[in-house]
């Protein structure tokens, strides 16, 4: 499968120390912690809407305030780990994440919550690539690496499964703030575990910091996300939104120029000449966009739209994330016995099927049983996809590029995660807003009710109309907003399904090409 890459698979031509058990424990706890941080806001979106009253795109920014620094900084932390040792980053990342969660727990407004989540995201940006790089650095041979990558991915999903349960339980027995307090405590445990048990590793050969690359890619990603998230509320033709897209394109071009000229680039663009790595990179963005877009649409459906409790919402997230842990033995066995790209294609196809089913669910159905099949398919597909993406990428690069490959894969995957809430939220809210206004105009409601509902709509969007007391004047238009939001987020599921299916077709096409090249 890798005969045409020109690069030796990691671990075949280099001497390696066996992976210490303490290091494995510390890395698994770290990635679990980081994923808890990613997933915890999704369970609490309904409570944020009720308590903090976010308007427009502010609810989306709560999730993306965490995800943006993860997407922007992972490559830099990959370099820092190679240069100065990964154990330091494992400890420091956990400490930063804990501090950010503490700020979030103490926040009494949306902006303070953004600040806390951004600080937590910086910590997670260190934990994701560092934990994977430390595991890969200690493995010998494809079989061992496949098993440990599957374990790493499983612990990532354990974090995603624990987060909604934690959020639901603490919210039901106290406040959403206690969810962040518990995560901060887990972060302290992770930092202490890494300090006591982890064995340091590094790969400094030919590596140095690339400030030009970091600045240009950071500005590009932030501008892109700003434009996508603010588009529905500010208008897609508004000056700031158009400027955001222009700045994103300009700084992406500058990033390419900077990387071509840098003596030690943040990202060696030549790595994408590796066919397997290039396919895995595209799928990492599009496929993971599909998954987290599905998770975000589900959190909004159950929380701010249907007003279900966080504890009931956690059941849906157990289907999305918990299956990865249960499927670790199956995933690792499949990765050892079949090409990772075939498993990747199967996983993406399952995700697409689940999203297409979810798009057909009526928003008025509040039973959890209707979610079992579609979310179960997406969760199973994600279990296969997340492990096979990482295995495909890391197994196809030479040992000197392990840190860069793992950091790049993580960054692209998490950039896809970041795009999920942004794009799905933008598409769903745009459709819901136009749908609500059309329904309101055709309705037989009293003109005073229409005026009040229009005012709330202008201030906070259809989610705000859906959340006002039903006996208030704008509350009489609540059912119209409810239907419009249901339709909007059904389109969000549909978009996620199309993204997963397109990724599947890309992988299948790459498989055929790879098979032909191997025969030649």
């Amino acid at each position: 499968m890798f005969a045409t890459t020109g690069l030796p698979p990691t671990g075949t031509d280099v001497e390696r120390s066996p992976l210490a058990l303490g290091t494995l424990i510390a890395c698994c706890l770290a990635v679990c912690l980081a994923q808890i941080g990613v997933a915890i806001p999704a369970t609490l979106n309904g409570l944020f809407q009720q308590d903090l009253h976010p308007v427009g795109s502010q609810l989306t920014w709560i999730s993306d305030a965490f995800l943006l620094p993860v997407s922007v900084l992972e490559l830099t932390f990959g370099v820092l780990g190679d240069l100065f040792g990964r154990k330091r980053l494992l400890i420091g990342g956990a400490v930063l994440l804990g501090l950010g969660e503490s700020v979030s727990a103490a926040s009494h407004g949306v902006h303070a919550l953004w600040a806390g989540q951004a600080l937590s995201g910086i910590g997670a940006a260190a934990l994701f690539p560092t934990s994977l790089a430390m595991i890969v650095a200690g493995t010998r041979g494809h079989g061992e690496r496949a098993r440990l990558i599957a374990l790493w991915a499983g612990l990532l999903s354990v974090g995603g499964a624990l987060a909604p349960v934690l959020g639901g339980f603490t919210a039901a027995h106290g406040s959403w703030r206690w969810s962040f307090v518990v995560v901060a405590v887990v972060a302290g445990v992770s930092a202490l575990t890494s300090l006591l048990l982890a064995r340091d590793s590094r790969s400094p050969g030919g590596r140095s910091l690339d400030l030009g690359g970091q600045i240009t890619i950071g500005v590009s990603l932030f501008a892109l996300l700003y434009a996508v998230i603010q588009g529905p509320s500010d208008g897609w033709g508004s000056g700031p939104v158009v400027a955001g897209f222009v700045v994103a394109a300009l700084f992406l071009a500058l990033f390419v120029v900077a990387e071509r000229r840098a003596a030690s680039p943040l990202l060696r663009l030549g790595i994408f000449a590796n066919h397997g790595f290039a396919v895995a990179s595209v799928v990492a963005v599009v496929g993971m966009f599909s998954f987290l877009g599905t998770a975000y649409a589900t959190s909004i459906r159950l929380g701010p739209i249907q007003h279900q409790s966080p504890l009931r919402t956690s059941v849906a997230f157990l289907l999305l994330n918990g299956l990865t842990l249960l499927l670790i033995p199956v995933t690792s066995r499949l990765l050892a016995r079949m090409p990772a790209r075939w498993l990747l294609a199967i996983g993406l196809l399952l995700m697409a099927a689940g999203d297409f089913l979810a798009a057909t669910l009526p928003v008025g159905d509040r039973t959890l049983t209707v979610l079992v099949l579609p979310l179960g398919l997406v969760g199973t597909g994600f279990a296969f996809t997340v492990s096979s993406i990482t295995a495909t990428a890391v197994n196809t690069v030479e040992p000197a590029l392990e840190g860069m490959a793992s950091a790049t894969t993580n960054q692209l995957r998490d950039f896809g995660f970041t795009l999920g809430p942004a794009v799905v939220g933008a598409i769903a809210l745009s459709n819901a807003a136009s749908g609500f206004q059309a329904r309101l105009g055709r309705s037989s409601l009293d003109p005073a009710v229409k005026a009040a509902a229009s005012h709330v709509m202008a201030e906070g969007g259809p989610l705000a109309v859906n959340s006002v007391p039903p006996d208030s004047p704008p509350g009489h238009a609540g059912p119209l907003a409810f239907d419009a939001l249901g339709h909007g987020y059904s389109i969000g599921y549909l978009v996620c399904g199309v993204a997963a299916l397109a990724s599947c077709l890309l992988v299948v096409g790459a498989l055929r090409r790879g098979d032909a090249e191997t025969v030649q």
Side-chain angles (χ1 to χ4, degrees), residues 89-472:
L89 291 184
L90 214 60
I91 298 169
V95 170
L96 277 177
L97 195 149
L99 289 175
E101 298 300 274
S102 299
V103 172
S104 298
S107 63
H108 291 279
V110 172
H111 297 89
L113 186 54
W114 289 350
Q117 288 299 284
L119 184 58
S120 296
I122 296 173
L127 295 179
F128 279 126
T130 302
S131 59
L132 179 59
M134 290 180 78
I135 288 176
V136 170
T139 58
R140 295 177 292 184
H142 286 304
E144 180 184 6
R145 193 175 317 114
R147 290 191 297 272
L148 292 179
I149 287 176
L151 178 62
W152 179 89
L155 267 295
L156 184 145
S157 286
V158 167
L162 286 177
V165 176
L166 169 65
F169 182 81
T170 53
H173 296 85
S175 166
W176 56 264
R177 292 181 172 83
W178 281 105
S179 301
F180 295 120
V181 171
V182 174
V183 179
V185 172
V186 176
V189 173
S190 178
L192 184 61
T193 302
S194 297
L195 176 66
L196 297 177
L197 299 182
R199 179 184 297 172
D200 200 12
S201 66
R202 65 185 69 198
S203 179
R207 302 288 271 154
S208 63
L209 289 176
D210 175 18
L211 292 179
Q214 180 59 76
I215 292 171
T216 51
I217 193 62
V219 173
S220 178
L221 294 183
F222 177 79
L224 175 61
L225 289 173
Y226 173 84
V228 171
I229 293 174
Q230 292 300 124
S233 56
D234 295 354
W236 295 105
S238 65
V241 171
V242 172
F245 284 120
V246 172
V247 169
L250 174 62
F251 274 82
L252 180 61
L254 291 175
F255 172 72
V256 173
V257 173
E259 296 309 275
R260 289 185 178 277
R261 294 182 176 180
S264 179
L266 187 68
L267 174 61
R268 296 185 187 178
L269 300 178
I271 197 173
F272 291 101
N274 180 325
H275 181 64
F277 187 84
V279 170
S281 298
V282 174
V283 173
V285 175
V286 181
M288 295 304 97
F289 153 76
S290 173
F291 175 75
L292 208 68
T294 302
Y296 183 74
T298 302
S299 75
I300 300 299
R301 172 191 169 94
L302 297 179
I305 297 178
Q306 294 184 341
H307 302 304
Q308 300 208 46
S309 70
L311 203 56
R312 286 176 62 85
T313 302
S314 69
V315 176
F317 281 86
L318 283 173
L319 290 169
L320 287 171
N321 291 288
L323 291 175
T324 302
L325 177 63
L326 297 177
L327 291 172
I328 284 177
V330 177
T331 304
S332 59
R333 189 175 297 112
L334 289 174
L335 279 173
R337 296 183 179 181
M338 66 186 296
R341 294 180 195 174
W342 282 117
L343 187 61
L344 185 56
I346 294 170
L348 291 165
L349 184 60
L350 290 174
M351 289 172 59
D355 278 315
F356 291 144
L357 283 176
T360 66
L361 299 178
V363 69
D365 192 340
R366 290 178 167 83
T367 61
L368 296 178
T369 53
V370 299
L371 298 174
V372 171
L373 179 58
L375 297 189
L377 287 171
V378 174
T380 302
F382 175 70
F384 292 161
T385 300
V386 70
S387 296
S388 49
I389 284 178
T390 306
T392 299
V394 174
N395 281 343
T396 57
V397 301
E398 60 190 20
L401 298 179
E402 285 173 351
M404 179 182 290
S406 62
T408 303
T409 304
N410 275 281
Q411 187 196 37
L412 292 171
R413 186 199 67 227
D414 289 318
F415 180 57
F417 281 160
T418 308
L419 284 177
V423 174
V424 170
I427 292 173
L429 288 177
S430 293
N431 279 275
S434 59
F436 171 72
Q437 290 171 340
R439 286 173 171 84
L440 186 65
R442 295 193 303 265
S443 72
S444 58
L445 293 173
D446 186 89
V449 171
K450 290 184 177 182
S454 297
H455 177 73
V456 174
M457 170 67 195
E459 292 294 324
L463 284 173
V465 179
N466 186 60
S467 298
V468 297
D471 55 350
S472 65

